[in-house]
Amino acid sequence: MTKQSTHTLIIGAGAAGMMAAAVAGQGGARVLLIDHALKIGEKIRISGGGRCNFTNTALDGTDASKFFVSQNPRFVRSAMSAYTAGDFMTLLKKHRVTFHEKHKGQLFCDVSAQDVIDVLKAECDAGGVLWRTGCSVTSVRSVSDGSGARFEVETSTAGTWRCVNLVVATGGLSIPAIGASGFGYALAEQFGHSIVPTAPALVPLTFALWAANGWSELAGLSLPVRISVGEGKKAMSFDEDILFSHKGLTGPAVLQISSYWSAGAAISLNLASDADVAAALCEGKFGARVQLDTALAQLLPALPKRLLAHIIALPEFAQYAKHKWADVPDKVLKALAQHLNNWQLMPSGSEGYNKAEVTRGGVCVNELKPATMGSRLCDGLYFVGEVVDVTGWLGGYNFQWAWASGVAAGRAILADV
């Protein structure tokens, strides 16, 4: 079969891949975009409840490293300052896509996530990008025969292509139901790159004996908390909502902390972060005639009654629930307060890649150039988006990383045109 050629070949028609293709194509590069799925941008389509939380206003060009998990979070500074949330909003406005802020700077489409996919497709078309969907890459090898090409890529349905630049935008392992795989990591290793160990991130956490201890009975209950993990300089906490499920805990707070949690570490929940429960219970009991369970509900009216009832029914407190508050020993009251202000839980695991929004770990950033996303080990090779060891917070941060890293690679590629 005759070998075809293109200036740049991009593997993966997701957020980062389409962004890189659009920028390079509109700058004059001949671009071929390949994806093994028939539908492009599936992760965009299903995100944000179908409305795509496409960025966050906090990403305004200032230091973004605090919003990301990586072996070297500072790596994101260059790309994220060169292409900001405001830049992507300008792109959407250009295509007359309307959007709104929902919570803590999180921006969503007013109508549908499909609007974002349509914008990226239109931008790629404006750059003359050639598409091949339902097409898998079967092998990649280096070329050094004087032809000018650096890579030769064999595909399942589009033949063999030679290119000067190869962009890997294959994503991570999260949500395998829509085609996620470890292809990008294997390709990186083929060219000498190291992979930071991967794990599910932005994912619900599970707990041993959850149902046996009765916590599954609270499924569907939601409340704001302060959730924390780690100690000292490595400590991380978020003020967000948790949601009790049949398997464990989920909700924004848990998804956030999951990116910082590792097996064997406990997490802490402050269910009443605006109250010193120990002081309130111990200092307020004198002369009180109400029962302990009644006092607890009066002191913490914002907490769900079902949750308070479950905690007071725990074996260590159940015998005191109907006791007069004034007669309950301070030792017991302090232990009860501990469950409310510093509830220590040991996750047994997570719900895995099937439920994870993103993948933590990936291609080591110290082997990439932060301004271009280009490989330090192989000229013409780029890695963008989730395949890289960069994981953002919940709330539009990962999509902005996709846009920014894709733009960085797309602009760098134009230097070769």
Side-chain angles (χ1 to χ4, degrees), residues 116-140:
V116 174
I117 299 172
D118 292 343
V119 165
L120 295 171
K121 180 65 165 61
E123 289 291 305
C124 286
D125 290 346
V129 173
L130 183 63
W131 297 81
R132 291 290 185 272
T133 55
C135 177
S136 299
V137 172
T138 55
S139 71
V140 178

Side-chain angles (χ1 to χ4, degrees), residues 170-311:
T170 51
L173 299 170
S174 56
I175 320 181
I178 59 173
S181 76
F183 177 84
Y185 307 134
L187 186 55
E189 290 180 318
Q190 178 185 330
F191 286 93
H193 282 274
S194 52
I195 305 300
V196 175
T198 59
L202 299 185
V203 64
L205 297 177
T206 57
F207 302 85
L209 304 176
W210 187 254
N213 289 330
W215 292 105
S216 60
E217 296 172 10
L218 299 179
L221 188 151
S222 177
L223 70 152
V225 303
R226 176 167 295 159
I227 190 168
S228 307
V229 71
E231 298 179 354
K233 292 182 178 180
K234 293 185 177 181
M236 194 68 197
S237 65
F238 293 94
D239 292 313
E240 286 281 6
D241 287 0
I242 60 166
L243 174 65
F244 285 80
S245 75
H246 291 288
K247 296 181 180 179
L249 293 173
T250 183
V254 175
L255 299 187
Q256 290 280 41
I257 214 68
S258 70
S259 295
Y260 295 86
W261 175 79
S262 56
I267 62 170
S268 170
L269 291 178
N270 188 339
L271 305 176
S273 56
D274 58 348
D276 182 341
V277 181
L281 284 174
C282 293
E283 295 171 9
K285 73 174 186 177
F286 298 104
R289 297 184 178 183
V290 297
Q291 295 177 169
L292 178 58
D293 54 359
T294 302
L296 197 61
Q298 291 174 349
L299 288 171
L300 302 169
L303 287 186
K305 292 180 181 180
R306 279 201 298 151
L307 176 60
L308 288 177
H310 189 86
I311 292 174

Side-chain angles (χ1 to χ4, degrees), residues 353-374:
Y353 290 112
N354 286 334
K355 296 294 184 179
E357 295 195 13
V358 291
T359 303
R360 187 175 71 194
V363 178
C364 179
V365 297
N366 294 328
E367 298 165 359
L368 303 178
K369 301 171 185 177
T372 67
M373 305 307 297

Side-chain angles (χ1 to χ4, degrees), residues 367-407:
E367 298 165 359
L368 303 178
K369 301 171 185 177
T372 67
M373 305 307 297
S375 168
R376 295 184 185 274
L377 310 181
C378 180
D379 288 342
L381 181 62
Y382 298 82
F383 295 90
V384 297
E386 190 181 347
V387 73
V388 179
D389 174 33
V390 171
T391 303
W393 285 8
L394 183 74
Y397 296 93
N398 288 292
F399 272 126
Q400 187 61 36
W401 168 245
W403 316 137
S405 60
V407 167

